[in-house]
């Protein structure tokens, strides 16, 4: 087969080379996979500022936010002010097959869309990060704590593997939720889940304070990104972030879902859409509790400075 071809007007090149070390996949496998699942992944990317992680032969993977100047003019884009770098960033909007194929040809393996659509928050997200490789079972147990906390609050969410070692819980939000209230509710849910089993789960943002527990990350509210459902990951075997029914979560492994296995597992289905509950409003008591909890990143920054002063004897 030729190493080059054209699809939907996009020239695809060097398709038969390895995708990355340990991928067990070629660039063609990436292109074919994304093309096959396009009707499932495009709905979770469409209209959202997109960051991607690319991998070039012989180079370390890197995140790309700003759309390069050589990108085709037909790619839709949105300009967003970045506080961290104090500049405008031109993000791509991956709205159609042609754009998805162009990114695949650029060796964009991971797709990280913003959690906001325009200026509206669409989901409350908790990211469960277990303490090490092979600890997926711990992440599952922590996810069930989050589910219990959601249920106690009258909320419902959908769950997916992260494609790495962890789990993501998504709760769709009704229109009109304020960013500050969403962030507060996320902190409160994480704290409530931690209280259900403090020997298993922690909200400690500083890694050295986690004591081998599953970190319930409540910092994804606002302008953050999370890897998309159905996105491949730059990990051995090229696993995929994949939706799982709550009842099946303790029966799966991240390695079950790869660019080679997922198309057959999906068939004509879209489990992320099928398993996602309807949009919900935040309970007032959850928001109120969350506003009493310090913002994890800010608290960690101040604590880090305090510890640095203590080490210096100041």
């Amino acid at each position: 087969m030729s190493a080059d071809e054209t699809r939907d007007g996009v020239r695809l090149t060097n398709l038969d080379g390895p995708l990355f070390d340990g991928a067990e996949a070629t660039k063609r496998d990436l292109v074919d996979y994304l093309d096959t699942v396009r009707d499932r992944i495009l709905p979770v990317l469409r209209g959202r500022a997109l960051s991607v992680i690319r991998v070039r032969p012989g180079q370390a993977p890197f995140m790309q936010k700003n759309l390069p100047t050589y990108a085709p003019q037909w790619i839709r884009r949105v300009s967003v002010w970045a506080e961290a770098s104090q500049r405008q960033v031109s993000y791509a909007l991956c709205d159609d097959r042609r754009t998805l194929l162009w990114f695949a040809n650029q060796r964009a393996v991971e797709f990280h869309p913003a959690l906001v659509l325009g200026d509206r928050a669409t989901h409350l997200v908790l990211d469960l990060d277990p303490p090490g490789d092979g600890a997926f079972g711990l992440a599952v147990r922590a996810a069930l704590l989050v589910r219990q906390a959601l249920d106690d609050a009258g909320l419902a969410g959908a769950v997916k593997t992260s494609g790495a070692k962890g789990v993501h819980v998504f709760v769709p939000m009704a229109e009109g939720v304020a960013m500050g209230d969403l962030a507060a509710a996320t902190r409160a849910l994480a704290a409530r889940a931690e209280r259900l089993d403090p020997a298993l789960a922690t909200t400690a943002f500083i890694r050295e304070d986690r004591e081998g527990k599953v970190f319930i990350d409540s910092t994804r509210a606002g302008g953050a990104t999370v890897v998309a459902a159905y996105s491949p990951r730059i990990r051995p075997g090229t696993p995929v972030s994949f939706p799982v029914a709550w009842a099946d979560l303790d029966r799966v492994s991240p390695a079950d879902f790869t660019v080679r296995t997922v198309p057959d597992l999906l068939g004509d289905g879209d489990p992320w859409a099928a398993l996602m509950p309807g949009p919900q409003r935040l309970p007032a008591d959850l928001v109120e509790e969350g506003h009493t909890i310090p913002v994890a990143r800010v608290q960690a920054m101040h604590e880090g400075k305090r510890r640095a002063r203590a080490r210096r004897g100041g």
Side-chain angles (χ1 to χ4, degrees):
M1 297 178 67
S2 171
D4 292 4
E5 63 179 81
T6 299
R7 298 187 200 178
D8 205 4
V10 177
R11 185 167 178 261
L12 306 169
T13 58
N14 303 314
L15 291 175
D16 294 335
L19 189 56
F20 55 86
D21 289 344
E24 300 174 21
T26 64
K27 183 178 172 183
R28 182 185 298 279
D29 291 323
L30 174 69
V31 170
D32 287 346
Y33 167 77
L34 290 170
D35 206 12
T36 298
V37 304
R38 64 182 183 272
D39 290 340
R40 275 78 105 195
I41 195 170
L42 284 173
V44 299
L45 301 178
R46 189 170 287 121
R48 298 176 186 271
L50 178 65
S51 301
V52 295
I53 299 183
R54 296 172 55 193
V55 56
R56 290 171 172 162
Q59 297 184 21
F62 62 97
M63 177 166 276
Q64 176 183 292
K65 297 184 177 184
N66 212 31
L67 197 59
T69 56
Y70 58 79
Q73 287 304 304
W74 45 258
I75 293 179
R76 291 188 62 218
R77 56 202 76 197
V78 60
S79 184
V80 178
W81 176 254
E83 284 293 337
S85 57
Q86 292 289 295
R87 66 188 181 111
Q88 291 291 134
V89 177
S90 180
Y91 286 92
L93 299 175
C94 190
D95 291 350
D96 52 37
R97 181 194 185 203
R98 188 163 59 153
T99 304
L100 187 64
L101 288 171
W102 183 83
F103 272 113
N105 191 57
Q106 294 291 304
R107 306 176 75 96
V109 179
E110 299 191 11
F111 292 74
H112 295 250
L115 292 173
V116 293
L117 193 57
D119 59 359
R120 182 175 81 83
T122 57
H123 294 83
L124 181 156
V125 175
L126 287 168
D127 178 4
L128 310 181
D129 184 17
D133 291 337
F136 181 72
L138 295 178
V140 169
R141 288 171 53 197
L144 296 178
L145 299 180
V146 171
R147 189 188 189 195
Q148 182 63 57
L150 287 171
D151 188 59
D152 292 344
L155 297 170
V159 64
K160 66 183 180 72
T161 68
S162 70
K165 61 182 180 178
V167 171
H168 296 149
V169 179
F170 275 58
V171 182
M173 291 287 99
E175 291 192 37
V177 60
M179 291 288 189
D181 289 346
L182 177 63
T186 310
R187 294 194 296 273
L189 281 169
R192 291 182 181 188
E194 179 185 30
R195 289 198 295 269
L196 290 171
D197 190 347
L200 169 66
T202 180
T203 57
F205 191 81
I206 299 174
R207 189 176 296 274
E208 64 193 54
D209 292 345
R210 296 177 192 169
E211 301 175 332
K213 302 174 186 179
V214 178
F215 174 45
I216 305 180
D217 185 355
S218 62
T219 66
R220 299 305 183 103
T225 67
V226 174
V227 71
Y230 308 116
S231 172
R233 303 300 303 270
I234 303 174
R235 300 287 191 281
T238 320
V240 167
S241 180
F242 196 78
V244 181
W246 283 105
D248 296 331
L249 193 57
D250 62 354
R251 304 173 191 169
V252 303
S253 162
D256 295 339
F257 312 110
T258 72
V259 292
R260 293 185 181 275
T261 63
V262 163
D264 287 339
L265 291 172
L266 282 176
D268 295 328
D270 183 353
W272 193 231
L275 295 169
M276 189 67 67
Q280 297 153 73
R281 298 196 177 280
L282 293 171
D285 67 311
L286 190 70
V287 174
E288 183 178 358
E289 178 183 342
H291 279 299
T292 70
I293 300 172
V295 176
R297 291 184 188 277
V298 175
Q299 185 182 38
M301 179 184 67
H302 291 309
E303 178 61 16
K305 291 179 179 178
R306 186 195 69 77
R307 293 182 188 185
R309 287 195 300 270
R311 286 193 295 269
R312 293 194 300 267

